[in-house]
Amino acid sequence: MAQRAEASGWKNRDVIDILDFSREELLELFGETDRMLEEGGRSSEPLKGKIVATAFFEPSTRTRLSFTSAALRLGANVIDLSAEVSSLVKGESFADTIRMLEAYSDLIVVRHPSEGAALFASEISSKPVINGGDGSQHHPTQAMLDLYTITRLKGGVDGLTYAVVGDLKYARTATSFLYALTKFRPKKVYGVCPELLRPRQEVLKRLEALGLNLEMGVGLEEIVGELDVIYVTRIQKERFPDPSEYEKVRGSYRIGRSLVEKAKPDCIILHPLPRVDELPYEVDSTPHAAYFKQAAWGVPLRMALLKLILSG
Ligand code: NCD
């Protein structure tokens, strides 16, 4: 295991759960991200000679490629496990696979469908492990990116009114984002979703214990005029144990142009992407659309994270 919650500072730190990071640490990360965005990182190549491994056991475009791009921009090299053509198909275990990556690299970014996989990897590996999303609760670097985007566009996270919309049961991005908000002082946080996609009881209890009062049971139409940030996710079809349950909620919400027109002029819309039908292309040209900036800033944010972890 590298270092986790008890860690002081960033060097060699595992990134497993957004709740392991303090508000001060997140603000430090955002300051470093600003510097990365301004300088681009290439000038000094602070990670020259380092090797970052990506091990994705689930599909990914943004997380895998932004980590790869971030590592390359800092002068590191990247090796990719490519699960479908590795010895996993011969039956090699996850644990043995992680042991190999530990030997071949300086840091491992892992994505996995099972909750707890990244923590398990961090217990096996003496090299730092970054959770690129596991199961339906944790995607800490996405939550860091979400908060960074809000900080950059709205001047901070505190004092704003949020709606987290969509799949609050299976979308780890939504849950991680809600956990991340507990580190700040939002004015109000609404959870807007169909009944079948309500957050798990365990998540609601944890949020409450952390002091976040998630207001459920309102419709987006009623509250859209109050919102500063709309955070929307797709329905995570692949996580439904029963396809007929998915059919019941398919297409049940949509942030269309007619809704967005009722929002405050400076309300921003975030989406971790990919989108399916919940956020139509017609919204892209409105001043509210912030999701492409959010995705693009994934590179400087992950540059800052890799630099802090690998070179302190
Ligand atoms: C998300 C994920 O994998 O949780 N993607 C991402 O990293 N931006 C969101 C999703 O798949 O809906």
Side-chain angles (χ1 to χ4, degrees), residues 62-63 111 139 142 172-173 234 236 238 272-274:
R62 274 149 292 272
T63 306
R111 166 171 288 188
H139 195 341
Q142 179 69 45
R172 55 194 171 207
T173 49
R234 74 179 170 97
Q236 312 280 298
E238 69 279 20
L273 303 175

Side-chain angles (χ1 to χ4, degrees), residues 45-293:
E45 300 203 325
L47 299 189
K48 203 172 168 60
K50 300 280 187 196
I51 297 177
V52 169
T54 53
F56 279 60
F57 298 82
E58 263 192 349
S60 172
T61 297
R62 274 149 292 272
T63 306
R64 187 166 60 85
L65 294 181
S66 62
F67 264 115
T68 302
S69 173
L72 295 174
R73 283 183 189 278
L74 294 168
N77 287 306
V78 180
I79 55 173
D80 179 57
L81 173 73
S82 308
E84 63 288 354
V85 289
S86 71
S87 286
L88 286 155
V89 289
K90 300 182 193 166
E92 186 160 37
S93 68
F94 177 69
D96 281 1
T97 306
I98 296 297
R99 278 186 195 102
M100 295 304 102
L101 296 176
E102 177 200 15
Y104 300 158
S105 69
D106 299 293
L107 178 147
I108 306 166
V109 184
V110 65
R111 166 171 288 188
H112 202 281
S114 305
E115 210 151 309
L119 177 61
F120 180 54
S122 75
E123 286 164 358
I124 294 168
S125 171
S126 61
K127 307 282 175 58
V129 170
I130 299 182
N131 184 358
D134 68 348
S136 57
Q137 279 200 48
H138 299 294
H139 195 341
T141 69
Q142 179 69 45
M144 289 167 175
L145 172 58
D146 302 337
L147 294 187
Y148 175 73
T149 307
I150 294 164
T151 304
R152 191 136 185 128
L153 296 178
K154 307 290 289 178
V157 176
D158 294 336
L160 302 177
T161 299
Y162 296 83
V164 184
V165 183
D167 186 346
L168 306 190
K169 185 172 192 177
Y170 297 114
R172 55 194 171 207
T173 49
T175 310
S176 283
F177 180 66
L178 288 169
Y179 286 150
L181 284 179
T182 68
K183 302 285 173 177
F184 292 82
R185 287 182 291 276
K187 183 170 170 200
K188 202 158 202 165
V189 186
Y190 294 104
V192 183
C193 64
E195 194 56 33
L196 277 174
L197 298 179
R198 279 174 73 92
R200 284 189 265 168
Q201 209 50 38
E202 161 210 344
V203 171
L204 286 174
K205 281 203 184 119
R206 201 166 175 207
L207 289 171
E208 199 185 330
L210 291 162
L212 188 98
N213 176 25
L214 183 65
E215 200 170 319
M216 302 287 303
V218 286
L220 207 46
E221 288 278 347
E222 298 161 52
I223 55 165
V224 66
E226 302 175 38
L227 303 173
D228 299 300
V229 179
I230 301 175
Y231 188 97
V232 57
T233 61
R234 74 179 170 97
I235 300 180
Q236 312 280 298
K237 182 181 178 187
E238 69 279 20
R239 299 197 203 290
F240 279 68
D242 176 353
S244 71
E245 290 291 289
Y246 170 70
E247 286 306 322
K248 286 185 198 155
V249 287
R250 185 156 71 128
S252 54
Y253 58 94
R254 189 170 178 273
I255 312 285
R257 210 172 168 121
S258 57
L259 179 90
V260 165
E261 275 162 7
K262 297 181 191 130
K264 293 199 279 191
D266 59 352
C267 169
I268 58 168
I269 301 171
L270 299 181
H271 192 309
L273 303 175
R275 58 177 156 178
V276 186
D277 51 10
E278 67 287 347
L279 182 58
Y281 294 126
E282 65 190 24
V283 177
D284 296 359
S285 56
T286 71
H288 308 286
Y291 31 93
F292 291 123
K293 274 190 189 137

